[in-house]
């Protein structure tokens, strides 16, 4: 595997949220780019789950601990708080039951890191409005008929579901279309309009009875 | 009918003349078996390749399958055929003998030099036959552990095996988690299913129905139940292949003839192939050993020892696992490997699992499957790095 430290910008943002030496589960880890980075540069105890056998074979061949499996069903096996961080990068929208998935992430990880495409980005809104066809973009490149994405949502939708789940957003970042990361402000309007994708660091809100800040 | 004339059948005691190593264990302290019986001063035959490093940290135990033996990387002394993993184990190969010290042990109950029904019971001076105690997979593993003690190897870098070899790997991880760094169970299961037991019973009944079996005392009369054993092998061999593979290989093609003969000769190529498999098997394998080893597999059920919860067998394990299965294996289907993976996940163990796409059926682990070898090599290399085993020039 290459020793290069260059990884996709959203993966870099995720990596920056992870403490060195932590126990990390990467759900839908693909070819293992993030895991490999975390193992090499942050000395994490890293594991992964991946559906595609090509991805799994690449990961295991590179010495990463990855299992071939379906996150929709396989996360239930893990004990509570088995990991410091559970990562779900660009995968939530392809899950059969995204809300239950988030619950599982928060159960087996002390923290969950979720990155997702924002379906409310202004360009997508504009495409639907003007062309009347399902929008696509660099982050969402598929045609409607062959897309693995079955549960797309907006940044605002995500913030709302976190609140429903009693999850606290410790950090939130969105990437505009130039790939520049920006902090999610207290108002969601701009982020929801300008964010092509977003990265959230979540934890279980142990003080859910208190009115909590939604955005950190 | 199959003709067995001209077969060279090796007899009791001949194992002494085989190449490889043979040690007598259990002289100070006997091996206590799951059945309650004890084995004293029993032989184990093994073969070793590569060199043990100064720290004794690079030993890899390779566990063989039901009808395999310890001649993993060299020609079989009785048949002259290449070792069963000779293209897998060797210098610069997937299991690199420049880097690892590879040990393979003929299992307890086997017939290639380890204590088994065809060996002599030291207490009576007679061949054991059916009086040999019934052994289990765990017993085989305990005997292997005694061999490692004898060799002064406290901890293995890895234990690797397919099929019954994979069962031994799981037993190693369950019985001696502190004595191994990595475990690679391939095309296996944590318990023997009813279907598995059923096929084995067919094989055993074929052996025992052969009049030459003589209640297991065939050595007394100089005849062996070769026909029964060959049938057992033929039935088993079908379970090692996939329908796709059988179809690809034979279809309904006829053997050395233009038309069917309306008789019971081997009209079809597949019949001829199976007869050959059966016939060559009896040259190298003992019928009673077949009974004992299939029984050991039937009894195999790791979860049963742990309140029916497989995960409990691996609680707090520090072993790094790599579970591998093949898509077309219907004898130990991938669902069985997934069960193992789920149990390991339930204790948050460090586990890799790959389902290798192959149409070769259960036998895929013995064949040249590039994806399988790439994944296994990658896992071993990664594990060796974590374990601090320096790469050799050929493994780098």
């Amino acid at each position: 595997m290459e020793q290069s430290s260059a990884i996709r910008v959203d993966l870099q943002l995720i990596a920056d949220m992870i403490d060195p030496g932590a126990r990390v589960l990467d759900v839908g880890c693909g070819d293992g780019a993030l895991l490999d980075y975390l193992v090499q540069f942050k000395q994490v105890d890293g594991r992964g789950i991946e559906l595609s056998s090509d991805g799994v074979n690449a990961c295991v061949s590179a010495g990463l601990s990855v299992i071939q499996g379906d996150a929709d069903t396989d996360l239930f096996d893990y004990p509570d708080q088995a990991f410091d961080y559970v990562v779900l990068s660009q995968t939530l929208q392809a899950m059969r039951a995204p809300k239950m998935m988030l619950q599982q992430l928060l159960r087996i990880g002390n923290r969950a890191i979720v990155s997702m495409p924002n379906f409310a980005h202004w360009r997508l809104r504009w495409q639907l409005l003007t062309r009347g066809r399902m929008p696509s973009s660099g982050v969402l490149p598929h045609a409607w008929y062959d897309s693995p994405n079955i549960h797309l949502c907006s940044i605002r939708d995500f913030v709302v579901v976190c609140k429903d789940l009693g999850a606290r957003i410790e950090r939130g970042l969105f990437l505009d279309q130039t790939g520049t990361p920006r902090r999610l402000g207290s108002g969601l309007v701009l982020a929801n309009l300008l964010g092509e994708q977003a990265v959230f660091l979540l934890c279980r809100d142990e003080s859910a009875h208190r009115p909590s800040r939604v955005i950190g | 009918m199959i003709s067995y004339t001209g077969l060279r059948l090796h007899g009791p005691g001949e194992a002494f003349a085989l190449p490889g190593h043979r040690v007598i264990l259990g002289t100070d302290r006997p091996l206590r078996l799951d059945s309650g019986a004890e084995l004293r001063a029993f032989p184990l035959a093994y073969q070793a390749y590569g060199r043990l490093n100064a720290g004794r940290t690079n030993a890899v135990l390779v566990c063989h399958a039901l009808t395999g033996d310890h001649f993993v990387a060299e020609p079989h002394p009785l048949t002259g055929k290449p070792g069963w993993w000779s293209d897998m184990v060797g210098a610069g190969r997937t299991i690199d003998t420049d880097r690892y010290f590879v040990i393979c042990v003929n299992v307890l109950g086997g017939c290639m030099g380890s204590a088994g029904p065809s060996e002599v019971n030291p207490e009576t001076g007679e061949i054991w036959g059916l009086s040999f105690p019934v052994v289990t997979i765990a017993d085989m593993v305990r005997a292997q552990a005694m061999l490692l003690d004898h060799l002064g190897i406290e901890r293995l870098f890895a234990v690797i095996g397919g099929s019954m070899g994979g069962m031994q790997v799981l037993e190693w991880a369950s019985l001696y988690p502190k004595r191994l760094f990595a475990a690679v169970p391939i095309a296996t299961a944590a318990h023997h299913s009813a279907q598995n037991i059923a096929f084995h019973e067919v094989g055993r009944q074929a052996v025992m129905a052969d009049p030459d079996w003589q209640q297991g005392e065939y050595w007394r009369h100089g005849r062996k139940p070769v026909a029964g054993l060959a049938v057992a092998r033929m039935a088993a061999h079908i379970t090692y292949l996939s329908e796709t593979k059988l179809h690809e290989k034979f279809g309904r093609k006829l053997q050395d003839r233009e038309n069917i003969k309306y008789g019971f000769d081997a009209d079809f190529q597949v019949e001829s192939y199976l007869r050959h498999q059966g016939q060559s098997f009896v040259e190298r394998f003992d019928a009673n050993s077949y009974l004992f080893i299939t029984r050991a597999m039937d009894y195999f059920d790791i979860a049963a020892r742990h309140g029916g919860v497989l995960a409990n067998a691996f609680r707090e394990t520090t072993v790094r696992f790599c579970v591998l299965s093949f898509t077309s294996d219907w004898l130990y289907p991938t669902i069985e490997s997934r069960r193992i993976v789920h149990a390991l996940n339930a204790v948050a163990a460090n586990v890799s699992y790959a389902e290798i796409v192959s149409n070769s059926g259960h036998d895929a682990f013995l064949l040249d499957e590039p994806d399988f070898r790439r994944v296994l090599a990658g896992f071993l290399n990664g594990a060796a790095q974590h374990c601090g085993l320096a790469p050799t020039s050929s493994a780098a």
Side-chain angles (χ1 to χ4, degrees), chain A residues 78-134:
Chain A
Y78 291 93
D80 295 355
Q81 297 168 50
F83 297 93
D84 297 314
Y85 299 89
V86 183
V87 176
L88 189 71
S89 80
Q90 303 289 342
T91 305
L92 185 68
Q93 72 276 7
M95 293 289 137
R96 276 200 295 277
K99 192 171 176 184
M100 197 192 294
M101 176 61 49
L102 289 171
Q103 259 169 338
Q104 288 301 316
L105 301 185
L106 290 162
R107 178 184 68 80
I108 63 183
N110 290 328
R111 288 188 162 69
I113 302 176
V114 180
S115 76
M116 46 157 281
N118 174 27
F119 205 64
H121 184 247
W122 69 269
R123 284 191 120 173
L124 301 179
R125 298 190 198 195
W126 183 248
Q127 280 183 40
L128 186 62
L129 187 69
T130 58
R131 294 167 59 206
R133 296 186 56 190
M134 281 301 281

Side-chain angles (χ1 to χ4, degrees), chain A residues 45 47 53 56-57 60-61 63-69 74 77-79 82, chain B residues 320 338 341-342 345-346 348-355 371 374-375 378-379:
Chain A
D45 176 7
R47 323 278 175 81
S53 56
V56 174
N57 291 1
V60 183
S61 302
L64 300 168
S65 297
V66 170
I67 64 165
Q68 201 277 331
D74 287 1
D77 297 319
Y78 291 93
Chain B
R320 213 173 156 89
R338 281 184 195 284
V341 172
H342 292 169
N345 284 345
N350 190 316
V351 52
S352 294
Y353 167 57
E355 183 187 27
D371 277 355
R374 202 174 305 123
V375 168
F379 170 78

Side-chain angles (χ1 to χ4, degrees), chain A residues 10-67:
Chain A
D10 57 316
L11 298 183
Q12 186 65 55
L13 294 177
I14 293 171
D16 292 344
M17 291 178 176
I18 290 172
D19 297 328
R23 294 167 300 158
V24 179
L25 177 67
D26 187 358
V27 180
C29 61
D31 64 2
L34 175 66
L35 265 184
D36 187 57
Y37 177 91
L38 290 172
V39 170
Q40 276 195 46
F41 296 102
K42 291 215 150 177
Q43 293 76 47
V44 305
D45 176 7
R47 323 278 175 81
I49 302 180
E50 170 58 32
L51 190 58
S52 81
S53 56
D54 286 348
V56 174
N57 291 1
C59 289
V60 183
S61 302
L64 300 168
S65 297
V66 170
I67 64 165

Side-chain angles (χ1 to χ4, degrees), chain B residues 343-363:
Chain B
L344 291 168
N345 284 345
V347 294
N350 190 316
V351 52
S352 294
Y353 167 57
E355 183 187 27
I356 307 292
V357 177
S358 158
N359 66 9
S360 296
H362 179 61
D363 260 0

Side-chain angles (χ1 to χ4, degrees), chain B residues 53-136:
Chain B
N53 64 15
R56 298 175 175 253
T57 55
N58 68 333
V60 171
L61 180 70
V62 170
C63 301
H64 70 74
L66 164 56
T67 62
D69 51 52
H70 52 300
F71 299 107
V72 53
E74 68 198 272
H76 193 280
L78 300 179
T79 65
K81 288 181 186 160
W84 57 275
W85 250 6
S86 56
D87 50 357
M88 184 83 115
V89 176
R93 303 221 158 114
T94 308
I95 301 172
D96 188 352
T97 51
D98 283 340
R99 190 177 202 177
Y100 310 118
F101 177 62
V102 177
I103 308 165
C104 187
V105 187
N106 187 223
V107 295
L108 209 58
C111 52
M112 291 294 281
S114 288
S118 61
E119 289 289 324
V120 172
N121 177 351
E123 278 169 30
T124 63
E126 287 246 329
I127 289 178
W128 281 102
L130 291 195
S131 70
F132 189 73
V134 168
V135 296
T136 63

Side-chain angles (χ1 to χ4, degrees), chain B residues 41-240:
Chain B
F42 64 94
L44 271 194
Y46 70 97
Q47 193 49 291
Y49 310 89
R51 286 190 152 193
L52 191 60
N53 64 15
R56 298 175 175 253
T57 55
N58 68 333
V60 171
L61 180 70
V62 170
C63 301
H64 70 74
L66 164 56
T67 62
D69 51 52
H70 52 300
F71 299 107
V72 53
E74 68 198 272
H76 193 280
L78 300 179
T79 65
K81 288 181 186 160
W84 57 275
W85 250 6
S86 56
D87 50 357
M88 184 83 115
V89 176
R93 303 221 158 114
T94 308
I95 301 172
D96 188 352
T97 51
D98 283 340
R99 190 177 202 177
Y100 310 118
F101 177 62
V102 177
I103 308 165
C104 187
V105 187
N106 187 223
V107 295
L108 209 58
C111 52
M112 291 294 281
S114 288
S118 61
E119 289 289 324
V120 172
N121 177 351
E123 278 169 30
T124 63
E126 287 246 329
I127 289 178
W128 281 102
L130 291 195
S131 70
F132 189 73
V134 168
V135 296
T136 63
I137 303 287
D139 293 333
M140 295 173 182
V141 165
R142 288 185 194 107
Q144 289 163 355
M146 288 172 84
L147 173 65
L148 293 188
D149 292 341
H150 170 83
L151 296 174
I153 297 170
E154 198 172 310
R155 194 161 185 255
L156 291 160
F157 163 62
V159 185
I160 304 172
S163 199
M164 184 181 84
M167 296 176 182
Q168 294 164 61
V169 173
L170 294 171
E171 280 293 10
W172 262 101
S174 159
L175 292 173
Y176 304 108
K178 299 216 158 41
R179 290 194 76 169
L180 64 159
F181 181 79
V184 188
I186 304 162
T188 193
H191 72 275
H192 220 223
S193 71
Q195 189 189 47
N196 296 149
I197 297 169
F199 278 117
H200 276 176
E201 178 62 2
V202 170
R204 283 190 295 265
Q205 288 301 326
V207 169
M208 294 189 281
D210 187 324
D212 284 339
W213 181 61
Q214 302 162 89
Q215 305 308 309
E217 305 210 342
Y218 41 86
W219 68 90
R220 292 188 195 282
H221 310 95
R223 291 183 59 80
K224 292 184 165 197
V226 287
L229 183 59
V231 171
R233 175 63 169 182
M234 289 165 78
H237 199 80
I238 300 167
T239 70
Y240 303 152

